[in-house]
Every structure is written in C-alpha cells, then in structure tokens.
Amino acid sequence: MSKLLMTPGPTNIPTEVQNILGQDMIHHRFDDFHKIMENLNEKLKKIFFTQNDVYTMTCSGTGVMETAVVNLFSKGEKVAIVNVGNFGKRFVQICKVYGLNVIELEYNWGETYNINDIKKVISENNDLKGIFVTHSETSTGVLNNIKAIGELTKNSDILLIVDVISGMIVNEFRFDEWNVDCAVAGSQKGFLLPPGIAFVSISDKAKKALYKSDLPKFYFDLKVTIKYYNEKKETPWTPAIPIIRAAEVACDLLLKEGIENIQIKHTKLRKYVEDEVQKLGFKLFVKNPEARGNTLVTVYREDNLDLTKLRDYIDNEYNITIAGGQGKYNGKILRFGCLGLLTIQDFNNLFKKIKKYIEENN
C-alpha cells in the first residue's frame, strides 16, 4: 500500500505526473527543453494570475525566499516583516543574515496580522523599502489577507513580497490584481509535484530594484536567471529536468480542472474537516474563521491525549501521515493537510481510525 500523505506538503502525486518523472532524460541546452520551459512559463502565468514571466528555479521554497531578499534589497535597507508563525520568522532570519534593517510585526501563532500595524509602520517609516508576508502560514493554518496590504503599497515605492509556497492553487491568489511585487512558490504543495523546484515572479516595480541591489548572490541571481530565460529559454544552472517536465503536465491538470474550481472544492473539504475533527474532541487552532485557509486544518486538544503517539500509530499501522506541530507547538497540535488529491472519503477513513485510537487510549 502506498503511503497517503495528509500533510501540508509534500503531497501524493498523480499517476500522470509520476509517468513523466520516470521518462528518459533529456538535455537542458536543447530545443526540446526550451519548448518545455516556454510552455511552462505561460501556464504558470495563468496560475499566478499575472502578465509577468514566472521563473523556474531548482531549489526548495526557502531558496526562493532567499532569492527575493538578495535580489530586491541592499544592505541596511529597512523592511517590515509580518510574522504569524514559523515561516514568517524565516523571512526575518534571512533578512537579518543579509544585513537588512528589520521591523518585525510578530503575532501569536494562530492569529493573522492587524492592518493598522502595517499602516502605522508605513506612516512612521518614510524609508521603508519592502513588506514581507506569508500568504498561507503552514505552521498554523492562518491565511493572511494579501490584497489589503497591496492596496497600501500599490502607489508607493514599497515592494510587497509574498510567500505563496503553501498558499498557491487551493487558496485565491492574484498577483497583478492584488498589486504584488514578488511572489515565491514551491513545487511540493498545491502543484501536485515532488519537492525540488520553485517559482518566482516579479513586477516591473520590483525589476527596478533588482538592478540596484548590492547584496551578494550567485546561484540565486535573478538577473542571470532572467537573462538566460529571455535569450535562450534556459536556466543558468543545471535544473531538475524531470520535475520541470512533470510541472508542465501538472499545470495542464490544474488548468483543465480550473483554479477557481479547485479552490471551491478545497474550501468545501477544509470546512468538512473542521466540522468532523471537532466531533472527535479536537479544538480549532485558528479561532478567526476569516483567517482559516484551505491548505490545512490545525487542531489541539484540552485533554492528555498524546498527539505524537497518535501520529506515529496512524503512520505505522495504516500508512497515513499527518503532520504535527513545529517549534514551540511540537507535540501540541496536529496539522491536517487538505492539499492535492485528498477527498472527503480519505478523511472519513482517517477519522474512523483516529476515533478508534482515542476510544482505546483516552
């Protein structure tokens, strides 16, 4: 039996995509690969809802997070970072490593940001160069309102940089309409792909900053990436060829179903999971319904049930993997991923097993 991944990434991969991953290798400096790259870019633009090119890089999501930092800013420049969990904190860590002047807007895990805090930062800092925010905070299940921040930055020189690594596909995201300046995404979440490649798109406003940045970069130099794509439809460094080929097929599947239709389906799935887990005695970690995203449902309990033992039992006995907490919530929460091919039937099957475990161990 194959392992069923009910986590917020990586996800199980459709057969059509698996078949491409197993094909014979091609070379990345020849026309067949060039055509794949060009076709993939056009499909990604539809998924990002942008007229800008979407560049494919061989790295993890953290790699494109670092790409956004080192390409759009210079040492000592002031940026604000919305931190509502583990991955908002990661932006803080990256920016500090590269010597940026960081204003950290930190919130309790399970909460979204306060728009008035962002308005205050903008009004009090005329030298603010950028705002970083996570779309879907994978460590908590919070979905941040990106559009509202874009309304604040659209007529300014402030860049809006968004991590949509786990938010893309299953939650609404519109690059152009929401006035986003840089968005970074990863293959292993909503894209139905294995880990290994990531995507980045930048606005015209961000491109101006690109050529002013003085932060060190080599592998992650977007100027080189853009040059290679524009001139050759290639990547500057050896890419993950099988995953890029599979990405073209995965995008076909997503676009055929329709991005809006996928979001409707996953909204229904997420709400169903929320209702059913509460029947099992779990509490929802994200209290504000407006801040709950479709990527995952995060829960906790008020009794003494050992959640780590529950996860291990479900994984070892049934080959079903669910995610636990990160950081200070390790062992204290469960994170049920709602990405990819998962269905209500899959969750019904899981919840029967969890109910049996709770009855026998609580």
Side-chain angles (χ1 to χ4, degrees):
M1 173 185 173
S2 298
K3 187 177 286 289
L4 182 61
L5 298 178
M6 306 185 80
T7 69
T11 67
N12 291 104
I13 301 169
T15 301
E16 300 95 322
V17 176
Q18 292 185 40
N19 291 339
I20 298 297
L21 291 167
Q23 288 185 354
D24 287 339
M25 187 62 62
I26 62 173
H27 200 280
H28 58 293
R29 304 299 185 201
F30 286 82
D31 285 344
D32 46 0
F33 184 76
H34 299 162
K35 292 175 183 176
I36 291 170
M37 286 292 288
E38 191 168 15
N39 290 339
L40 177 59
N41 177 37
E42 292 304 315
K43 292 165 185 175
L44 288 169
K45 287 160 72 171
K46 295 177 182 178
I47 293 172
F48 276 69
F49 288 88
T50 184
Q51 298 298 313
N52 301 295
D53 288 326
V54 182
Y55 305 103
T56 299
M57 304 179 70
T58 296
C59 62
S60 67
T62 302
V64 280
M65 291 173 73
E66 185 164 337
T67 297
V69 173
V70 300
N71 282 276
L72 300 180
F73 300 97
S74 295
K75 190 170 183 179
E77 288 187 334
K78 187 179 292 184
V79 297
I81 301 175
V82 176
N83 174 10
V84 300
N86 197 44
F87 294 94
K89 188 67 177 179
R90 188 162 299 180
F91 262 140
V92 173
Q93 293 168 325
I94 297 170
C95 286
K96 287 185 175 180
V97 163
Y98 284 99
L100 297 186
N101 182 358
V102 173
I103 300 173
E104 182 178 1
L105 299 174
E106 185 173 9
Y107 300 88
N108 293 328
W109 284 36
E111 297 178 1
T112 187
Y113 71 87
N114 185 328
I115 191 69
N116 290 323
D117 294 338
I118 297 178
K119 290 178 180 178
K120 183 179 179 182
V121 167
I122 292 173
S123 66
E124 294 180 352
N125 295 274
N126 294 329
D127 55 346
L128 189 69
K129 298 297 184 181
I131 297 175
F132 290 83
V133 60
T134 310
H135 183 213
S136 168
E137 177 50 68
T138 324
S139 64
T140 67
V142 164
L143 187 74
N144 284 313
N145 185 334
I146 305 302
K147 184 178 181 180
I149 303 177
E151 287 298 313
L152 300 178
T153 61
K154 66 178 181 180
N155 294 320
S156 73
D157 293 328
I158 301 169
L159 299 179
L160 175 57
I161 297 93
V162 185
D163 161 7
V164 287
I165 293 167
S166 73
M168 185 69 78
I169 312 296
V170 299
N171 301 285
E172 184 181 16
F173 177 76
R174 295 176 179 269
F175 188 106
D176 292 350
E177 185 180 328
W178 291 359
N179 303 290
V180 175
D181 294 300
C182 176
V184 296
S187 58
Q188 76 276 18
K189 306 290 186 177
F191 278 94
L192 309 176
L193 293 164
I197 63 173
F199 313 110
V200 58
S201 186
I202 60 175
S203 68
D204 289 339
K205 185 166 79 171
K207 285 179 182 176
K208 294 178 182 177
L210 187 71
Y211 292 92
K212 297 178 182 178
S213 170
D214 67 5
L215 294 179
K217 50 211 165 253
F218 183 78
Y219 183 84
F220 293 129
D221 193 335
L222 263 184
K223 295 189 297 295
V224 179
T225 297
I226 293 171
K227 177 180 174 65
Y228 265 73
Y229 182 78
N230 288 343
E231 295 181 358
K232 304 179 181 181
K233 300 299 181 284
E234 292 181 3
T235 58
W237 327 117
T238 304
I241 298 169
I243 306 178
I244 290 175
R245 295 176 76 185
E248 187 185 4
V249 173
C251 287
D252 284 338
L253 295 175
L254 295 169
L255 291 169
K256 181 179 180 181
E257 184 173 356
I259 302 302
E260 293 92 343
N261 293 332
I262 293 172
Q263 290 161 3
I264 291 170
K265 178 180 70 176
H266 282 275
T267 299
K268 291 179 181 177
L269 178 63
R270 184 256 301 171
K271 290 182 176 180
Y272 180 82
V273 172
E274 289 175 347
D275 290 341
E276 294 300 311
V277 291
Q278 291 180 86
K279 294 177 185 177
L280 293 171
F282 292 95
K283 305 289 185 181
L284 298 179
F285 190 67
V286 181
K287 301 304 181 184
N288 179 1
E290 298 300 316
R292 296 176 192 155
N294 296 334
T295 302
L296 68 156
V297 175
T298 305
V299 302
Y300 68 98
R301 293 183 71 88
E302 294 180 338
D303 57 18
N304 294 320
L305 185 71
D306 191 318
L307 299 183
T308 300
K309 288 184 178 179
L310 168 59
R311 289 177 55 230
D312 291 343
Y313 173 79
I314 296 296
D315 192 76
N316 294 330
E317 293 295 320
Y318 302 109
N319 249 359
I320 300 174
T321 301
I322 52 181
Q326 297 180 327
K328 61 186 176 182
Y329 285 97
N330 183 26
K332 298 180 180 180
I333 60 176
L334 293 178
R335 296 178 298 143
F336 295 98
C338 301
L339 294 170
L341 306 174
L342 294 174
T343 65
I344 287 176
Q345 183 177 350
D346 291 326
F347 277 101
N348 282 337
N349 180 45
L350 171 65
F351 293 150
K352 288 177 184 177
K353 295 170 172 52
I354 290 178
K355 182 179 180 181
K356 180 175 181 290
Y357 180 88
I358 292 172
E359 290 172 347
E360 294 175 351
N361 292 273
N362 203 23

